[in-house]
Amino acid sequence: MSILINASALPNIPWEPRPKTDRGSSPLWRYSGNPVIPRDLTAHSNSIFNSAVVPFKGGFAGVFRCDDTSRRMNIHAGTSANGINWSIENNPIDFIKCRDDQPDSEYKYDPRVVFVDDKWYVIWCNGYKGPCIGLGYTDDFKKFYMMENVTMPFNRNGVLFPRKINGRYAMLTRPSDSGHTPFGDIIYSESPDLEFWGRHRHVMSPAHFSQSAWQCTKVGAGPAPIETSEGWLLFYHGVLTSCNGFVYSFGAALLDLDKPWQVIARSRPYMIAPQESYELCGDVPNVAFPCAALADGATGRLAIYYGCADTVTSLAFGMVDEVADFITRNAL
Amino acid sequence: MSILINASALPNIPWEPRPKTDRGSSPLWRYSGNPVIPRDLTAHSNSIFNSAVVPFKGGFAGVFRCDDTSRRMNIHAGTSANGINWSIENNPIDFIKCRDDQPDSEYKYDPRVVFVDDKWYVIWCNGYKGPCIGLGYTDDFKKFYMMENVTMPFNRNGVLFPRKINGRYAMLTRPSDSGHTPFGDIIYSESPDLEFWGRHRHVMSPAHFSQSAWQCTKVGAGPAPIETSEGWLLFYHGVLTSCNGFVYSFGAALLDLDKPWQVIARSRPYMIAPQESYELCGDVPNVAFPCAALADGATGRLAIYYGCADTVTSLAFGMVDEVADFITRNAL
Amino acid sequence: MSILINASALPNIPWEPRPKTDRGSSPLWRYSGNPVIPRDLTAHSNSIFNSAVVPFKGGFAGVFRCDDTSRRMNIHAGTSANGINWSIENNPIDFIKCRDDQPDSEYKYDPRVVFVDDKWYVIWCNGYKGPCIGLGYTDDFKKFYMMENVTMPFNRNGVLFPRKINGRYAMLTRPSDSGHTPFGDIIYSESPDLEFWGRHRHVMSPAHFSQSAWQCTKVGAGPAPIETSEGWLLFYHGVLTSCNGFVYSFGAALLDLDKPWQVIARSRPYMIAPQESYELCGDVPNVAFPCAALADGATGRLAIYYGCADTVTSLAFGMVDEVADFITRNAL
Amino acid sequence: MSILINASALPNIPWEPRPKTDRGSSPLWRYSGNPVIPRDLTAHSNSIFNSAVVPFKGGFAGVFRCDDTSRRMNIHAGTSANGINWSIENNPIDFIKCRDDQPDSEYKYDPRVVFVDDKWYVIWCNGYKGPCIGLGYTDDFKKFYMMENVTMPFNRNGVLFPRKINGRYAMLTRPSDSGHTPFGDIIYSESPDLEFWGRHRHVMSPAHFSQSAWQCTKVGAGPAPIETSEGWLLFYHGVLTSCNGFVYSFGAALLDLDKPWQVIARSRPYMIAPQESYELCGDVPNVAFPCAALADGATGRLAIYYGCADTVTSLAFGMVDEVADFITRNAL
Amino acid sequence: MSILINASALPNIPWEPRPKTDRGSSPLWRYSGNPVIPRDLTAHSNSIFNSAVVPFKGGFAGVFRCDDTSRRMNIHAGTSANGINWSIENNPIDFIKCRDDQPDSEYKYDPRVVFVDDKWYVIWCNGYKGPCIGLGYTDDFKKFYMMENVTMPFNRNGVLFPRKINGRYAMLTRPSDSGHTPFGDIIYSESPDLEFWGRHRHVMSPAHFSQSAWQCTKVGAGPAPIETSEGWLLFYHGVLTSCNGFVYSFGAALLDLDKPWQVIARSRPYMIAPQESYELCGDVPNVAFPCAALADGATGRLAIYYGCADTVTSLAFGMVDEVADFITRNAL
Amino acid sequence: MSILINASALPNIPWEPRPKTDRGSSPLWRYSGNPVIPRDLTAHSNSIFNSAVVPFKGGFAGVFRCDDTSRRMNIHAGTSANGINWSIENNPIDFIKCRDDQPDSEYKYDPRVVFVDDKWYVIWCNGYKGPCIGLGYTDDFKKFYMMENVTMPFNRNGVLFPRKINGRYAMLTRPSDSGHTPFGDIIYSESPDLEFWGRHRHVMSPAHFSQSAWQCTKVGAGPAPIETSEGWLLFYHGVLTSCNGFVYSFGAALLDLDKPWQVIARSRPYMIAPQESYELCGDVPNVAFPCAALADGATGRLAIYYGCADTVTSLAFGMVDEVADFITRNAL
């Protein structure tokens, strides 16, 4: 049975039991109050989605992708007492550059937040001559510092691991192209210092469409990997290409704790696919895209935040042991 | 006036009269209880659509396209007392090969079922080095036998005629390419034995977009042709390409009884186009795709099963004489 | 403060005050009774959208894009007492050619209507060897005359100015290609006689996606420009390309009164983007496309008619001074 | 028999009789000294092609497309005593704007020159927010004046008729898109003053590939039409799309003298297709593209200048009566 | 060692020994007199290539793809005493339909000829609502009869086996799409009577580009398979997609004599790739495409006719045992 | 005047003076004996091009891209006494991995070689889940060691600087996509140890096509930068997209010695574009692609090796001061 490792108790994790009517085909279920963050929560937001939430000082803090009504993409800080009702800043985070000569950012989107060593690191898709992976940190969710970009363009879906592995920082990314990339594998990279990166290793490719079509066009890491007794639990999104465009769903994989580029098992079925109206309709129809997960070390409860239709943010719940078990029993 | 030929009485055909508020621009109308088959009827179904229903032993039986939560495509057997409430097998049909050396099937979708001579034949889009047309049969909807594929790849939308024509089995198909084919004509083929096929004849092409845009990208046969005094009544889908992808609607044509590759008339307007929420939203937005039709020889009633948004299955109703009349008066 | 010029009082302009709950991020708000024109208002309409409305004889008249159930595109005349409840002709306008040797029209769509000098001019996208700009006029919305096409193919979104500028008729168009054009700038042209056109000037291009993504693929003029003390007020649509197709929103610009090809200011944020269900779902999801605006010279009230999802027609309201002010304060 | 109309004697027209070994399948034959203009004739030319030549003061003058070694496209003036050996200016033509507020030109290419009324008019593809048709004139091939662009973007292959028709100036163009346009018809337009244009009429479309594949992708006017007793003789290029790109060949058509948008006959076979090494290899392989034709009114001799592989310029010869006869006998 | 089976002696097979300077990296070598058939051999040919040659009455006969100067594709009969100097009919073959109601042919190209039982069968790519496989026969290369098409569209590169296999006629084809197909596998089909076809079996797919890039886009059968002691020797073309288009080369495979859909071995290296000027330059650059092979049962000599740059026809030579040995030693 | 820095005398550098007939539009000229390396120099080579040459032990050594007759891409070692006549190994370099757990390489192409500190480093495009940048070294051109890949996929055209800059190793690369990438900028990256890389800086983008069309699609570094008194001299290739595919030419830039991501000047004209038959025709027509440059510190002579038509290797010559001067006087 899978047990969370290095996970504190989080008694106030957002939670709701599985509905009685649920047929049980997935280890996850949706929150009945979805979406939890509406598109117009801030003064000028067009949409709030693909956002990162962490426990912070007894409540919750987060970094949120807010596209404004010019459809400019940026990331904003926010806080919540219960993880469900949020207060998000009207203005984007105003990062302080660690060094003066760092390049500017044309846009920022799809942040993840993870605590490593002693800081909250924010990692996002950063606009510098194309999408690449930006990195920054904060101690208080008020002052944010921006470090060097951790990759060249073209890259998206960068995710840090919550601790060093084999003495080095570790990261997953998804190399891309300059547009709506129709391919995408997950790659693992290491760094001694979070600035210089190497030892790139391939982690996973899309599946064959006859085996698992929801993830047959591209795959990308979702929330930061969660350490369990069975391996790193990685929720990841997959994309199917219908005649009417991309469909984003998500499932999960277990990665080797010491060699995270080795996939122990990976779910053939999706866990959440766009089926509710707030997932089917919006700025980009048919998108369910996870960027953050809370875990309660005491109970194994998981609360996953995922963007819906590139418009709003929702919550799904599950138990870590059931998720891990599902992956193993339904491995690709 | 068009009369059904070779059609038994089917007193328990699903039925509901045309709503009083209907403006009458189509000879068909939707069932008020749509969709009749929800996406999650079986234990692991992601969606149930593009499926075939026939009268069977006083009730109804069918073969259903069920994509599972891995988005694998397969076909399942099911039964119903009234044609509306269905019981569908959790597992796909486990076909018995007629000969050992027949090729395997990577996936199966979009079945049609038709009774010819003495058996129920199932014909579907079969995965063998690309989509081609698979053929099988059953006597009881429990044991199913798989014959040789009736075409090479790349082909879709194969439909058998319900009787031999000029001494040979007859079939319609729509030659395709390896992807989301942006073209498609209907072709007629003959066979002495259901195994070897030839004498291919062109039946119909897409219409010019300024004449009938709903069918200007591609067209494909729907349910098995229905024999009437005016010719074979063929419901068929047509596709329009908007800037946001394919839109699938359907209309109908009358084909010559003896030379079915000759089109007597073909409806310029669609009969059903995606306009209800269950047709507009789902795994593939904007799809209405018919695969089966029941006919009551006593009254001329028709009940058409059509897939909606590649997600659920719905019913539409009409009278055979009104449909035939509509085609003739609104011919392309 | 922006004041309407050359605008009569229009006391019966459709109107509804801004909802109290509106967060105020746009100078426009939607009518609570949207959509005002349903898709099936005429006997054979598939959809009614992208249509033009003007004050006429104490009430309102209009020219409406009605696609029929063959998905043929044409324009129909209609009248209304209040601008909200409409009576639209079942048959398309039967234009009388001004000269016998004028070319025929394969289809007509997206009309605008504007009063210049002494007539109501109708300008639309006309099918003549591809989409080009057709022109006609009426005195009574009963008899319509068709003049020479004002451009060659390939062009769309032609809009006349409501008066001569510098002694010549003036027009905006958006040169296109033969399909779902993925580019598009607005061009200004002049004519001494409405038949021969020249002195083409570039007006505006799409914005860079990092500045104003809703208008980064193409832009096109909407309603006929409205004369104000701050310049010509031009509502225009912009298009974003998501991985699931085009998204049509709209904002507005102010053009120099004497040299209308010079943009004084142009809104970085959109004013209306597809967010309501009737804008998100329909024949073409995610479209808000304005083609007409009423202005009340007495109060500065504006009522904008816009097509929704290429399916129905809706209304939005605003005050001319607030709109102009918004453009200036939120200029690209 | 076809006779040149309004054509002066041109005794020094470049000329060479048809080679004895020629099998006679075309009414044209190549000059044995081809190419007549090498790619590096000027100090910085990368290539000289698609250029226009006219008789001038007892010798010849011309306007030449010279791409420089930055691959910038521009047009240069040149002179020749014999039409074969050329002296071309190192610098592009420095046009004087007719009015100050005319738009600038980003680039110029593919000029044609024609004498109308009392001036030499130069018409070319002009860069103004995309390719459109630029117009200018000269009296002496030293000073050149630039008028208003005669079309909006996107247009290419503009050609003036050598005299007014029905009291108006007349022009052929080929509406295009913003890239390597995969479609293209020839359109006729009229103007009272060379500045404002209208009365657009369709002239010809590409042929069906099973009838005349060399012209099945697009067609465009070549040299200015030549007046003959049988109609306007229009050499035009056609394009075929092979799996390795576009192939440009040319043939000819006869247009009605009074209604030039009416095609009397049009050659099914090409007259020159890329078959010599200087046509097959170069900056753009497989291009033969005519832009100018000299005609000797005394003998009916024709000398056609055509660009080869977008790199050099060559000459082909023919007799006007044989060309007209060939078109009629081999009409599409 | 591979020995020809069922092959008569052909003492006058065209032949030339391998050049001394040949480095021996391929079992084939080119004829020094290439190309043997020039593009303009007939009165109106634009090109003569992808053609089929067989021994006939002590000399040679053939069916030739001749595109005319309208670039219409058709097939012509021809004869030769020595297989090198050819006389080809100016007019296409005028096929007599076997039955009146057979469909017409829009175009014909890429013929193969093979003697089965008692007739010379011609099989080609036939234009009937897209490219499909046409079949005919002749006894004398004067009168030709056309049978039913053996496939639906879209198909190309149909090749008959020279004898029945397991009691049925056998054929290879390459299913295609409606354009310049970027994919293509070889499929085997059987028929009791040459009219009705079934039992389709997959033979071979393109190779992975890192293993054998010359055949990584598509593969298609070339000449009719040659029976040898090691299996059916099948020369086949493969296509690589460079940034400048398709490159056609050819190699060979050995197929099981009784189950020809089973590949015994297949050459990883090409045998002939476009490297000579007549292969690199022409209507379609970089094409070497074999359609016929002569075999001398007495010596094992092979003479292969292949189209060059879709323009001319050339010859390559080899010894059957060396070819078979090369395949085995250099198998993919 | 530009002077080579850190460059030893290289008296035996291949050399030939500029031809007298050269018009002088470029600072480079071609060797009269081009191509210097034929396509078939080794036993199984299909082509030898895009290769790297360095002075070695009084003569020259190199690493050569040799595609074999299976069109597999790999790199081979070779030596030459004079830099013109080469002896190249028949087998690819058999790299020894520095660590066992390094990933394998699917293919290798387009090597550059540069001496840094004390070793010859080889850097190439490496196949690991797509093209990325591989790195290795040798002391003797016999034993070669392979290090970690220096980038993730997708990347091409990696080039090391010949010395550390600001205490770190420095590299240029061109991020790409998974196919024939239609975009491409040059990026600068740093590393403390050649294994972990960061501090990515943008160096240059393609030019606007109206300014310098030969480099308007993508640009990529060529030979290792050459240190001069005016800055790093970087020869780089640029790509133009014609209607018939990509055209590869090359020019040069000067980069700041300390901040090499800052471009001092960059040539608007190309220096070599494909114009000779061996550059125009071959496996990929119209390619001139430099990968190596020799420099003679005593005289300022440069000898540049460049691949031609992806088939053979040629030489061009120039003087460093003339090249630098040309860049400055013809800067983009």
Side-chain angles (χ1 to χ4, degrees), chain E residues 97-117:
Chain E
K97 285 185 187 175
C98 292
R99 279 205 327 276
D100 281 355
D101 65 347
Q102 287 176 204
D104 291 324
S105 168
E106 281 188 83
Y107 50 82
K108 300 184 186 75
Y109 63 82
D110 293 357
R112 277 79 168 184
V113 178
V114 61
F115 192 81
V116 194
D117 293 350

Side-chain angles (χ1 to χ4, degrees), chain B residues 128 148 195 199 201-202, chain E residues 99 128 148 195 199 202:
Chain B
Y128 172 59
E148 283 282 337
E195 181 164 1
R199 297 210 179 181
R201 293 294 180 272
H202 182 261
Chain E
R99 279 205 327 276
Y128 172 59
E148 283 282 338
E195 183 164 0
R199 299 211 177 179
H202 183 262

Side-chain angles (χ1 to χ4, degrees), chain E residues 137-192:
Chain E
Y137 62 85
T138 185
D139 293 311
D140 54 9
F141 286 87
K142 288 178 185 155
K143 257 189 167 163
F144 289 82
Y145 296 86
M146 180 156 140
M147 306 162 71
E148 283 282 338
N149 289 324
V150 292
T151 71
M152 282 183 266
F154 305 92
N155 214 316
R156 294 179 175 107
N157 293 302
V159 175
L160 272 188
F161 281 76
R163 64 165 172 82
K164 287 186 180 173
I165 298 173
N166 307 319
R168 292 197 194 82
Y169 294 97
M171 173 177 70
L172 301 173
T173 69
R174 200 206 67 196
S176 302
D177 69 13
S178 61
H180 294 304
T181 317
F183 56 83
D185 292 13
I186 301 175
I187 299 285
Y188 176 89
S189 304
E190 297 183 1
S191 172

Side-chain angles (χ1 to χ4, degrees), chain E:
Chain E
M1 204 186 89
S2 179
I3 297 174
L4 292 168
I5 298 179
N6 292 324
S8 312
L10 187 65
N12 60 340
I13 189 172
W15 189 252
E16 193 178 63
R18 180 189 291 266
K20 298 246 167 81
T21 56
D22 189 305
R23 73 178 153 159
S25 63
S26 166
L28 302 184
W29 59 95
R30 288 171 178 84
Y31 175 48
S32 63
N34 276 351
V36 293
I37 305 179
R39 65 187 309 163
D40 58 358
L41 187 63
T42 77
H44 297 286
S45 60
N46 166 74
S47 45
I48 307 178
F49 61 108
N50 300 0
S51 302
V53 167
V54 292
F56 181 70
K57 293 194 175 171
F60 300 91
V63 175
F64 298 85
R65 172 173 176 178
C66 297
D67 292 3
D68 70 12
T69 56
S70 303
R71 298 292 298 262
R72 292 178 299 190
M73 304 177 288
N74 218 317
I75 57 179
H76 296 226
T79 54
S80 171
N82 61 5
I84 290 176
N85 303 108
W86 286 88
S87 169
I88 298 180
E89 296 294 320
N90 279 335
N91 293 316
I93 293 170
D94 184 18
F95 280 94
I96 302 155
K97 285 185 187 175
C98 292
R99 279 205 327 276
D100 281 355
D101 65 347
Q102 287 176 204
D104 291 324
S105 168
E106 281 188 83
Y107 50 82
K108 300 184 186 75
Y109 63 82
D110 293 357
R112 277 79 168 184
V113 178
V114 61
F115 192 81
V116 194
D117 293 350
D118 58 353
K119 287 188 193 64
W120 297 102
Y121 286 94
V122 188
I123 186 168
W124 67 88
C125 185
N126 194 37
Y128 172 59
K129 308 294 175 181
C132 63
I133 305 300
L135 184 66
Y137 62 85
T138 185
D139 293 311
D140 54 9
F141 286 87
K142 288 178 185 155
K143 257 189 167 163
F144 289 82
Y145 296 86
M146 180 156 140
M147 306 162 71
E148 283 282 338
N149 289 324
V150 292
T151 71
M152 282 183 266
F154 305 92
N155 214 316
R156 294 179 175 107
N157 293 302
V159 175
L160 272 188
F161 281 76
R163 64 165 172 82
K164 287 186 180 173
I165 298 173
N166 307 319
R168 292 197 194 82
Y169 294 97
M171 173 177 70
L172 301 173
T173 69
R174 200 206 67 196
S176 302
D177 69 13
S178 61
H180 294 304
T181 317
F183 56 83
D185 292 13
I186 301 175
I187 299 285
Y188 176 89
S189 304
E190 297 183 1
S191 172
D193 52 14
L194 287 170
E195 183 164 0
F196 298 99
W197 292 83
R199 299 211 177 179
H200 312 291
R201 293 293 181 273
H202 183 262
V203 181
M204 65 165 86
S205 292
H208 192 268
F209 87 96
S210 68
Q211 294 304 311
S212 186
W214 68 269
Q215 54 180 318
C216 73
T217 296
K218 50 183 172 176
V219 291
I226 298 164
E227 196 166 2
T228 80
S229 55
E230 309 302 305
W232 292 104
L233 173 60
L234 176 72
F235 289 98
Y236 68 95
H237 66 263
V239 176
L240 174 155
T241 305
S242 89
C243 61
N244 285 4
F246 287 166
V247 176
Y248 284 79
S249 308
F250 67 93
L254 290 166
L255 310 180
D256 186 87
L257 284 178
D258 293 321
K259 300 184 173 178
W261 57 90
Q262 297 185 350
V263 177
I264 296 168
R266 167 184 175 186
S267 68
R268 195 178 25 68
Y270 58 74
M271 294 179 182
I272 296 280
Q275 301 183 350
E276 298 295 324
S277 64
Y278 52 87
E279 297 160 342
L280 294 169
C281 297
D283 283 352
V284 183
N286 289 19
V287 178
F289 188 98
C291 280
L294 300 172
D296 176 12
T299 61
R301 288 176 172 176
L302 300 173
I304 300 161
Y305 292 83
Y306 67 102
C308 299
D310 277 18
T311 304
V312 295
T313 306
S314 288
L315 263 174
F317 303 117
M319 296 297 296
V320 69
D321 53 349
E322 291 177 15
V323 169
D325 189 48
F326 182 90
I327 296 169
T328 311
R329 282 186 298 104
N330 296 280
L332 182 61

Side-chain angles (χ1 to χ4, degrees), chain D residues 245-296:
Chain D
F246 286 168
V247 177
Y248 284 79
S249 308
F250 67 93
L254 290 166
L255 311 181
D256 186 85
L257 284 178
D258 294 321
K259 299 183 175 178
W261 57 90
Q262 296 185 351
V263 177
I264 297 168
R266 166 183 175 189
S267 68
R268 195 178 27 66
Y270 58 74
M271 293 179 182
I272 297 281
Q275 300 182 351
E276 298 296 325
S277 64
Y278 52 87
E279 298 160 342
L280 294 170
C281 297
D283 283 351
V284 183
N286 289 19
V287 178
F289 190 97
C291 280
L294 300 172
D296 175 13

Side-chain angles (χ1 to χ4, degrees), chain D residues 287-308:
Chain D
V287 178
F289 190 97
C291 280
L294 300 172
D296 175 13
T299 61
R301 289 176 173 177
L302 300 173
I304 301 161
Y305 292 82
Y306 66 102
C308 299

Side-chain angles (χ1 to χ4, degrees), chain B residues 10-291:
Chain B
L10 187 65
N12 59 341
I13 190 173
W15 189 251
E16 193 178 62
R18 181 189 290 267
K20 298 246 166 83
T21 57
D22 189 306
R23 72 178 155 159
S25 63
S26 166
L28 302 184
W29 60 94
R30 290 171 179 83
Y31 175 49
S32 63
N34 277 349
V36 293
I37 305 179
R39 65 185 309 163
D40 57 357
L41 187 64
T42 76
H44 296 286
S45 57
N46 166 75
S47 45
I48 307 178
F49 60 108
N50 302 358
S51 302
V53 167
V54 291
F56 182 70
K57 293 195 174 173
F60 300 90
V63 175
F64 298 86
R65 173 173 175 178
C66 298
D67 293 3
D68 70 13
T69 55
S70 303
R71 298 292 298 261
R72 292 179 298 190
M73 305 178 288
N74 219 319
I75 58 179
H76 296 226
T79 55
S80 171
N82 60 5
I84 290 177
N85 303 109
W86 286 88
S87 169
I88 299 180
E89 296 293 322
N90 279 335
N91 292 317
I93 294 171
D94 184 18
F95 281 94
I96 302 156
K97 285 186 186 174
C98 292
R99 279 206 325 277
D100 282 355
D101 66 346
Q102 286 176 204
D104 292 324
S105 169
E106 281 187 85
Y107 50 82
K108 301 185 185 73
Y109 64 82
D110 292 358
R112 278 79 168 183
V113 178
V114 62
F115 193 81
V116 194
D117 293 349
D118 58 352
K119 287 188 191 65
W120 298 101
Y121 286 94
V122 187
I123 186 168
W124 68 88
C125 186
N126 194 36
Y128 172 59
K129 308 294 174 181
C132 64
I133 305 300
L135 184 66
Y137 61 85
T138 184
D139 293 311
D140 54 10
F141 285 88
K142 287 178 185 155
K143 254 188 168 165
F144 289 82
Y145 297 85
M146 180 157 140
M147 305 163 70
E148 283 282 337
N149 290 324
V150 292
T151 71
M152 282 183 266
F154 302 93
N155 214 318
R156 295 179 174 107
N157 292 302
V159 175
L160 271 188
F161 281 76
R163 64 165 171 82
K164 287 186 181 174
I165 298 172
N166 307 319
R168 293 198 193 81
Y169 294 97
M171 172 177 70
L172 301 173
T173 68
R174 201 205 66 195
S176 304
D177 69 11
S178 59
H180 294 303
T181 316
F183 56 84
D185 292 12
I186 300 175
I187 298 284
Y188 176 88
S189 304
E190 298 182 359
S191 172
D193 52 13
L194 288 170
E195 181 164 1
F196 297 98
W197 292 82
R199 297 210 179 181
H200 312 290
R201 293 294 180 272
H202 182 261
V203 181
M204 64 166 85
S205 293
H208 191 268
F209 87 97
S210 68
Q211 294 305 310
S212 187
W214 67 270
Q215 55 180 318
C216 73
T217 296
K218 49 183 174 177
V219 290
I226 298 164
E227 197 166 2
T228 81
S229 56
E230 309 303 305
W232 292 103
L233 173 61
L234 176 72
F235 290 99
Y236 68 94
H237 66 264
V239 177
L240 174 155
T241 305
S242 88
C243 61
N244 284 7
F246 287 167
V247 177
Y248 284 78
S249 307
F250 68 93
L254 290 166
L255 311 181
D256 186 87
L257 284 178
D258 293 322
K259 299 184 175 178
W261 56 91
Q262 297 185 350
V263 177
I264 296 167
R266 166 184 174 186
S267 68
R268 196 178 26 67
Y270 58 73
M271 295 179 181
I272 296 279
Q275 300 182 352
E276 299 295 326
S277 63
Y278 52 86
E279 297 159 344
L280 293 170
C281 296
D283 283 350
V284 183
N286 289 18
V287 178
F289 189 99
C291 281

